[in-house]
């Protein structure tokens, strides 16, 4: 079962939930129109379907291979990457002054979803390049920018993020890689980095490593970390002192090489400082925040792919007889329990997509709004939503791909079918770019207190506004949507109040213990009201005479989410409110 | 990280939740005592730890291999299987008249858990042999019994279940394999069967296939299916006309060969009828019901294994600093969010174990009670609990192994760590032996109406009795356990009433649409009150002066389940009550 980019759903979400139309009306997107956006997305969808998606199975089967320090990508990958950059897709969001098209993050997010749905192992590479472009644009010297940005924007070269070391994963304070000034404006970098995605490969002539390391006499902990640019090849064509030691044998995304990198085996790798000394983590966070959204989009992508695969199978596979049918076997897609699985998959996917796109729109406004106060507000909203977009989307990526295997029955367990690959691929996204536990802690301890709590309160207010519109909507097709979503939003409001209080009174245990269920609760309320925005827009269209059956489908999907998924909100609220009570004897329960 | 059989937890669950002590007191278990049971389980645990567990990684890596019709098991598997049967483990639950030890299903269930936790790919083989022994014992002629049961009970030969055909999976009505009488008391079987676990292998000299096929002129559908015994080798040593065509390339349990079997390529495979003509499905169900419990135990097993692996890693891996610590890094097992993951894993595992063991005890009473009315009641209780044991345990097997990967961070995605294997292995259990959707439908449409609803009402009454005991318990360590579990049980009661009404009024859509969330709701209430039984027993022990810190741990675990997992009950109730509303426009939402 191959991938067909769901461009109509993507465009509808973009326009009627994520606020594309409003941003265009506000002048935030310059002369970009909905029609132009749709044309671009249609084209991107075709490329994803026709060029990238066919790589996915073979990429999984063969994977990236390692020999004598070199990584060879799977058959066809080099050609596909070349075609992709030549078509300008890498340059889509890049800065205009370095050859990019300067298109919004929102539009690019829809594209990122499609590249990753077509093949997650393909899509992850450019995400890192994109992050490096942002970090360099924001923090690098003009000299570095002029030497590297052109090539990175076009995709002629790719980039990597070198953070993790064996003893320093979530906890970067433990980082040991070293950098010393060579006295000529360059530095010499030494150290070992692990889990470096596309750290080595044969897709491009050069690879630009962004590397965290410590200068001599740097303060201990995270305040002593600096960021360096370390190219695989130096300007004069010499190979830099950095090499790939090995690649990992992973559960999924086999075609994406995960490298152990050795810097400075000989005289030290030549590098250039990005930004200021000891401020490397802040620079890296520029990169990581947008990468977090992109990884969230990977969750949406793999969920969409798994859904399409399962739906396709369920429409073809005949077993049992539909309720009311008199003879013969029916496609399993008509059986209520299978429909529940498929609707769960689609509802979660659509909700996660909406949250990611809303986040992208906030990021765009944070950059593009002219009014500084509005920029600041948008930036806070983007900050608030980013951990939710990352963690919820990648969690549901796993859940949806697991349901996808289930819908296939026994065939789901057979690798040749493809459903199993999605299940394997999906599993990395809740881990990398900050584990989902870290996202939840970030949400509760850093994002809720933004603007004295006004950011999250504003977000809840906009959810309530949707609920208010729903309560006025009396169409029977909405079922119990309004009361269920109202309950979810009110649960979120109470849990938010509780956690804001915990954070401000420094009740760390309470805040940390409730972080993960709180993030899920937030996503249920946000995702449910986003689906409601979509359903209300669909309803308005239908009332206006648009006979597209997709509109009734959008209402049904929203109803399903409200009645079958958002109903978890109350329990999550109770969990958050239970606080850290369970931690007291946790060690005994775990017999740690 | 290897496996250590959690014998103390197993014994505690057996005795204080599953009713082992009560059954001994009632004389159901003859002269079996708790001490003897513990001795046997200690021995089984040692075998699982020392002989089976070391096979697991290599079994995954190398897998079973196929060449020229023959299947070779992974290195060391043949020796381990031989040692296992020689030690008498296969014979443990077998009938005494055929060399078995006739020990209870409950005791064997604990062993099945341990074999499968040590290696699920190893453990699945004997489950099928065990099922065949039950089917033959109940339905076969004395002649067939005397020729086959000895060897199957000892494990000298293994058995298979040949149900599935390409067009007939969940829907056995579509079965096409044929059987014709040869006029001499034997039959000739022809047809193709797929997904046959251990259909071919090199562990034993012979393999006994139980095969569903149709006789000429048999009625269409499931009432025209008969069950046959088809040995790989006939009594005179000739190879029967059955062969393995190929084995599957699967997501997990690589060491368990999943075979496509061809019967009757030449003159037809020689087979013997088991039970009556056209009553094959009933015979097969004897086998399948107990196999369903065993697969549930696989879910418990893989969850326990994943939990041990994650806990071990979390105790060793240091990142970040514990709340209140002043310097250095702490093991991640002390961080609240990691503790939440670990506690979720352990609480779900322990609850699923309790439900499986309760089911096993009911099966024992259904066989061993002297009073026919009590036998009948126990049989109904076993019937009610079996789909819950199968579906809940295997669902949480996937959820827990997924959390297990998450606790490892990036290392979880690296195959060499082992966490990924558990995640892959776990994924088959919700599918085979009747998908979990089928289990939920079975629960709602066939099991709730048992004894006019009295079976399920009796079960709820016993949950309420536990809640009543909890409400009298004022120890602060119980936190909000009592109200949370009371709410869960009352939600179950209301949802049960609704579904009983739907089933009796033939509102098929309502019943089928709510089946899966209802099963989960049932399991939350049943699992939560089972943990409470365990916690109350622990509390009583502690009050009586037993200073084992495990008792406080059991209370904390129960509290965690109540406050963090059982809280999903209310939402599930709402979902069930929403009924089939969502089905109305489901096709539009799915764009089927």
């Amino acid at each position: 079962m191959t991938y067909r980019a769901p461009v109509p759903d993507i465009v509808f979400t973009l326009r009627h939930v994520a606020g594309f139309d409003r941003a265009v009306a506000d002048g935030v997107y310059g002369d970009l129109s909905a029609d132009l956006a749709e044309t671009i997305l249609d084209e991107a969808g075709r490329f994803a379907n026709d060029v990238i998606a066919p790589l996915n199975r073979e990429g999984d089967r063969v994977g990236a291979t390692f020999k004598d320090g070199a990584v060879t990508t799977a058959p066809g990958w080099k050609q596909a990457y070349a075609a992709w950059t030549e078509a300008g897709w890498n340059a889509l969001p890049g800065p205009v002054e370095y050859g990019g098209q300067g298109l919004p993050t929102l539009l690019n997010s829809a594209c990122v979803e499609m590249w990753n749905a077509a093949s997650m192992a393909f899509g992850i590479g450019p995400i890192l390049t994109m992050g490096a472009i942002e970090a360099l644009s924001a923090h690098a010297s003009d000299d570095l920018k002029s030497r590297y940005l052109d090539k990175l924007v076009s995709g002629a070269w790719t980039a990597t993020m070198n953070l993790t070391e064996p003893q320093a994963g979530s906890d970067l304070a433990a980082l040991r890689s070293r950098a010393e000034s060579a006295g000529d404006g360059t530095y010499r970098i030494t150290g070992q980095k692990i889990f470096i995605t596309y750290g080595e490969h044969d897709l491009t002539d050069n690879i630009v490593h962004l590397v965290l390391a410590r200068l001599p006499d740097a303060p201990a902990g995270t305040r002593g970390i600096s960021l360096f640019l370390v190219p695989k090849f130096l300007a004069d064509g010499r190979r830099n002192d950095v090499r790939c030691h090995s690649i990992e044998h992973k559960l999924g995304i086999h075609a994406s090489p995960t490298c152990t990198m050795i810097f400075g085996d000989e005289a030290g790798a030549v590098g250039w400082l990005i930004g200021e000394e000891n401020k490397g983590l802040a620079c890296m966070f520029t990169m990581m925040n947008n990468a977090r959204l992109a990884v969230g989009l990977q969750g949406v992508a793999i969920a969409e792919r798994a859904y399409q695969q399962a739906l396709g199978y369920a429409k073809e596979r005949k077993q049992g007889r539909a309720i009311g049918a008199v003879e013969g076997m029916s496609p399993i897609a008509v059986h209520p329990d299978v429909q529940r699985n498929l609707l769960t998959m689609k509802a979660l996917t659509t909700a996660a997509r909406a949250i990611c796109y809303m986040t992208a729109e906030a990021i765009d406004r944070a950059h593009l709004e002219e009014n500084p106060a509005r920029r600041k507000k948008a930036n806070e909203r983007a900050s608030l939503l980013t951990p939710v977009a990352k963690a919820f989307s990648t969690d549901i990526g796993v859940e949806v791909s697991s349901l996808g295997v289930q819908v296939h029955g026994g065939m789901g367990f057979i690798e040749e079918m493809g459903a199993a690959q999605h299940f394997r691929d999906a599993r990395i996204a809740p881990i990398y770019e900050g584990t989902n536990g870290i996202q939840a802690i970030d949400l509760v301890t850093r994002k809720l207190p933004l603007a004295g709590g006004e950011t999250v309160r504003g977000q809840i207010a906009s959810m309530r506004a949707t609920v208010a519109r729903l309560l006025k909507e009396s169409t029977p097709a909405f079922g119990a949507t309004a009361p269920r979503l109202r309950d979810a939003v009110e649960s979120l409001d109470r849990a938010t109040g509780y956690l804001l209080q915990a954070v401000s009174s420094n009740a760390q245990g309470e805040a940390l213990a409730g972080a993960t269920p709180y993030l899920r609760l937030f996503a249920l309320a946000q995702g449910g009201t986003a689906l409601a925005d979509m359903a209300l827009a669909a309803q308005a269209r239908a009332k206006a005479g648009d006979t597209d059956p997709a509109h009734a489908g959008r209402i049904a999907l929203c109803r399903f989410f409200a009645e079958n998924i958002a109903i978890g909100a109350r329990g999550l609220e109770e969990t958050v409110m239970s606080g850290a009570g369970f931690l007291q004897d946790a060690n005994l329960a775990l017999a740690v």
Side-chain angles (χ1 to χ4, degrees), chain A:
Chain A
M1 187 67 53
T2 189
Y3 170 66
R4 306 309 300 170
V7 177
D9 275 356
I10 284 176
V11 169
F12 201 90
T13 307
L14 217 68
R15 296 187 57 185
H16 302 294
V17 184
F20 180 88
D21 283 7
R22 211 163 38 232
V24 168
D26 290 354
V28 173
Y29 285 153
D31 53 8
L32 184 63
S33 69
D35 280 351
L36 178 56
E38 189 160 352
T39 304
I40 293 170
L41 294 174
D42 268 331
E43 205 57 53
R46 243 189 310 277
F47 196 98
N49 297 341
D50 299 344
V51 183
I52 303 178
L55 302 175
N56 197 44
R57 281 287 301 137
E58 195 68 357
D60 182 60
R61 209 182 56 76
V62 179
T65 49
F66 177 79
K67 200 180 167 196
D68 300 333
V71 171
T72 307
T73 52
W77 283 58
K78 193 168 174 165
Q79 294 79 351
Y81 181 79
W84 183 77
T85 53
E86 273 157 32
W89 294 117
N90 195 70
L92 191 132
V96 175
E97 57 273 42
Y98 295 99
Q101 295 162 52
L103 285 164
T105 299
L106 178 52
L107 196 68
N108 190 54
S109 292
C111 294
V112 168
E113 178 194 323
M114 293 190 271
W115 315 137
N116 280 281
S119 172
M120 199 167 141
F122 182 92
I124 185 63
I127 286 175
L128 293 161
T129 305
M130 207 166 71
I133 292 167
E134 282 157 4
L136 291 173
S137 298
H139 304 289
S141 66
D142 289 341
D143 175 52
L144 273 186
K145 285 186 194 170
S146 70
R147 285 194 285 142
Y148 289 98
L149 275 178
D150 277 355
K151 297 282 197 181
L152 290 174
V153 167
S154 71
W157 297 349
T158 63
T160 69
M161 283 168 79
N162 285 253
L163 288 76
T164 304
E165 300 176 7
Q167 78 295 344
S170 298
D171 185 357
L172 289 173
L175 197 125
R176 287 186 201 144
S177 289
R178 287 176 302 110
E180 287 191 44
S181 169
D184 60 355
T186 68
Y187 294 78
R188 294 295 173 273
I189 319 290
T190 52
Q192 182 194 357
K193 296 286 182 177
I194 61 169
F195 297 161
I196 307 309
T197 299
Y198 279 92
E200 178 58 44
H201 61 78
D202 58 359
L203 298 179
T204 56
D205 297 336
N206 203 357
I207 301 171
V208 179
H209 303 292
L210 267 53
V211 186
L212 290 181
R214 288 184 189 283
L215 289 164
D217 312 321
T222 55
R223 268 170 278 188
I225 297 175
S226 307
L227 182 62
F228 299 90
L229 184 155
V230 180
K232 175 178 171 186
F233 287 102
L234 298 165
D236 59 10
R238 274 186 306 140
R239 181 80 192 241
N240 204 348
D241 183 11
V242 47
R243 66 183 175 85
C244 174
H245 168 271
S246 53
I247 66 173
E248 303 290 352
H249 171 217
K250 306 192 301 294
L251 174 62
I253 56 167
H254 293 162
S256 162
T258 302
C259 305
T260 295
M261 302 298 296
I262 309 287
F263 293 84
D265 245 359
E266 295 160 22
V270 178
W272 287 264
L273 183 69
I274 300 171
E276 292 175 48
E277 291 189 354
N278 300 330
K279 296 280 172 65
L281 221 52
C283 302
M284 200 50 121
F285 268 112
T286 304
M287 182 163 175
M288 278 184 67
N289 264 327
N290 294 334
R292 283 175 174 183
L293 169 58
V295 170
L297 289 162
Q298 288 196 308
V300 176
I302 199 76
E304 172 68 32
R305 181 78 188 251
Y307 167 68
Q308 289 190 20
Q309 163 95 31
L311 179 65
Y313 184 80
K315 285 161 75 173
E316 280 172 17
R317 172 71 173 168
K318 291 184 177 175
Q319 288 286 280
R321 193 168 294 167
I323 298 176
V326 286
E327 63 175 313
M329 293 203 287
S330 309
I332 62 171
V334 307
H335 298 317
D337 192 70
V338 176
Q339 291 197 325
R340 167 178 292 284
N341 281 339
L342 292 169
L343 286 165
T344 302
M345 295 172 79
K346 183 159 184 175
L348 288 171
T349 305
T350 310
R353 176 183 291 132
I355 293 173
C356 285
Y357 289 9
M358 290 169 73
T359 309
E361 191 259 2
I363 290 172
D364 282 332
R365 286 189 184 257
H367 289 122
L368 302 171
E369 284 273 11
E370 290 193 5
N371 176 313
R374 295 181 73 166
R375 269 211 307 280
K376 179 166 179 289
K377 265 190 103 160
N379 189 46
E380 286 163 351
R381 194 156 62 86
S383 299
L384 175 72
L385 290 176
T386 296
V388 182
K390 195 278 177 179
F392 177 66
S393 304
T394 57
D395 277 343
I396 70 98
V398 176
E399 294 163 26
V400 167
S401 63
S402 182
L403 284 172
V405 172
Q406 189 68 21
V407 168
H408 285 76
M411 290 307 292
F413 207 60
I414 308 300
E415 284 286 0
E416 285 75 9
M417 275 303 290
Q421 182 189 345
H422 305 323
F423 179 67
R424 289 187 287 101
D425 286 352
R427 197 63 198 74
I428 187 57
I431 296 171
Y432 60 18
E433 288 305 320
T435 66
N436 286 359
I438 298 275
Q439 303 300 325
I441 292 168
D442 176 54
L443 173 65
V444 170
T445 62
R446 290 193 211 101
K447 304 305 173 60
L448 291 191
L450 283 174
E454 280 316 303
T455 307
V456 63
R457 288 200 195 94
Q459 199 62 21
I460 293 173
S462 78
M463 297 180 204
R464 279 186 171 137
T466 298
V467 169
R469 290 166 63 214
L470 274 175
L471 286 165
K472 286 188 215 134
E473 177 58 65
S474 58
T475 318
F478 277 86
T481 302
R484 295 286 181 269
L485 293 185
R486 182 193 53 208
D487 291 351
V489 174
E490 296 313 314
S491 281
L492 174 64
D493 186 60
R494 289 187 294 266
T496 302
Y498 174 83
L499 286 177
L500 274 170
Q501 173 64 27
V503 172
S504 71
S505 62
N506 220 358
Q508 227 183 331
E510 258 68 18
L512 297 177
T516 288
Y518 176 78
L519 188 146
R520 184 75 175 207
L521 168 57
F522 192 113
L524 294 185
Q526 184 69 78
T529 50
L531 288 186
D533 286 338
M534 210 177 316
L536 291 164
Q539 171 82 344
R541 291 287 200 93
K543 274 187 183 155
D546 183 341
T547 56
D548 184 348
H551 295 317
R554 290 184 178 113
I555 295 168
L557 194 69
C558 170
R559 174 184 183 172
F560 182 85
F561 190 97
E563 292 179 354
N564 294 275
I565 299 175
I567 44 77
R570 179 63 186 276
L572 292 167
E573 177 199 346
E574 287 180 350
T575 299
V576 172
M577 303 302 216
S578 297
F582 75 83
L583 293 177
Q584 179 186 302
D585 292 329
N587 287 344
L588 290 170
L590 297 172
V592 169

